[in-house]
Amino acid sequence: MAIAEQVRLHDGSTIGVEVHGAGPAVLLPVNPVPIEGAGAEELRRWGADPALGRTLIDGLADAFTVVAFDYEGHVLAVPKPDTLTPANVAADVTAVADAAGVDRFAYYGYSWLALAGLHLALRTERVAALAMGGYPPLGGPQAEMLKVTTATHARAVSNATGQPRDRKPAAADADWSTAEVTLSEGQTRQFVTLYEALQGFDERAALQRLRCPRLVFAGSADEIDYDERWGGVHVSMARPLIDGRADLEALGWQVRVLDGLDHMGAMQAGAVLPILRSFLAQPAQPAQPAQRA
């Protein structure tokens, strides 16, 4: 039986949280309510599953206490143009865990929400296990994504709508080269704020501080070229895992590269659940420092 909560976040807004199942706690920043109608068709057009969050929840709730909260949907509905920083996102996730009554928890996020999980684990020892999908913890495209989000924000300003429109996948979750900006100035600027805060982040030094079990995966075809309208950059989520696998494993990471899958393909439940369940089911081990690579 699901338990619903409303949790206050760093900017005073509130987010809905659902708790399902029983067992070790897993925090999932996903939408627990399947999207229907025109919104569902739009997501399918982008290769996304309108019921992805619900499928992930149902696929884990038999063995885990799943704490689900649609953080991406929330920040699009209630933009945080000046305050969507790694520290504030970590504080928001911690508030969700507090409201759900869980002290130690695993965390799984995909794309920018995976990056958020990394910065959460760097800020609290409450993370018992960290699973990142679709974003490399070493060699991450922070500089490239700042260019993409800056260009996206500039187009939103140029459109001068001032109003949120139909939702498009945020940040790195879609090929913006074929999209028109339908997000507002505030919605897009919050992602500029996020990636600005990540410039100069020393990944290798940070990863050496992690102690919890950690997993990263991406599709082998997770490569996106953005044309000049969107910053003129190539964003690779796969290559840092392929080329840097030995370094990551030396730093204590389990690394999985999913053959033939792109960014959207590797986030689908059929790809995620077998990897995630296997990782989360591993016996708990004492915290170990990362090894220098």
Side-chain angles (χ1 to χ4, degrees), residues 127-141:
V127 178
L130 170 64
M132 295 178 62
Y135 202 102
L138 190 62

Side-chain angles (χ1 to χ4, degrees), residues 24-28 104-108 126-131 279-280:
V26 181
L27 267 61
L28 293 184
R104 295 270 291 167
F105 52 85
Y107 176 96
Y108 163 66
R126 293 171 64 179
V127 178
L130 170 64
F279 172 67
L280 295 175

Side-chain angles (χ1 to χ4, degrees), residues 7-15 71 74 80 91-93 95-96:
V7 179
R8 189 167 300 279
L9 303 182
H10 75 270
D11 61 341
S13 64
T14 59
I15 188 172
Y71 196 73
H74 173 80
K80 308 172 195 318
D92 288 346
V93 177
V96 167

Side-chain angles (χ1 to χ4, degrees), residues 174-255:
D175 180 359
W176 285 103
S177 296
T178 62
E180 291 301 324
V181 174
T182 59
L183 301 179
S184 72
E185 186 275 339
Q187 287 173 312
T188 55
R189 181 153 57 95
Q190 65 188 339
F191 293 108
V192 176
T193 296
L194 177 67
Y195 286 105
E196 281 181 338
L198 291 166
Q199 302 309 298
F201 172 56
D202 188 338
E203 297 168 317
R204 191 174 295 273
L207 296 189
Q208 290 167 0
R209 305 202 311 266
L210 290 177
R211 300 292 182 269
C212 64
R214 41 216 181 266
L215 162 76
V216 61
F217 68 88
S220 66
D222 195 343
E223 309 282 340
I224 301 176
D225 285 306
Y226 294 89
D227 65 28
E228 291 302 320
R229 295 183 304 155
W230 311 106
V233 296
H234 178 79
V235 173
S236 176
M237 303 301 186
R239 185 52 53 186
L241 300 189
I242 296 168
D243 292 346
R245 185 168 197 149
D247 276 359
L248 283 166
E249 289 176 344
L251 287 163
W253 291 80
Q254 298 179 38
V255 180

Side-chain angles (χ1 to χ4, degrees), residues 139-149 199 230-231 233-236:
Q142 286 83 239
E144 293 85 350
M145 287 311 304
L146 178 58
K147 291 182 179 179
V148 173
T149 53
Q199 302 309 298
W230 311 106
V233 296
H234 178 79
V235 173
S236 176

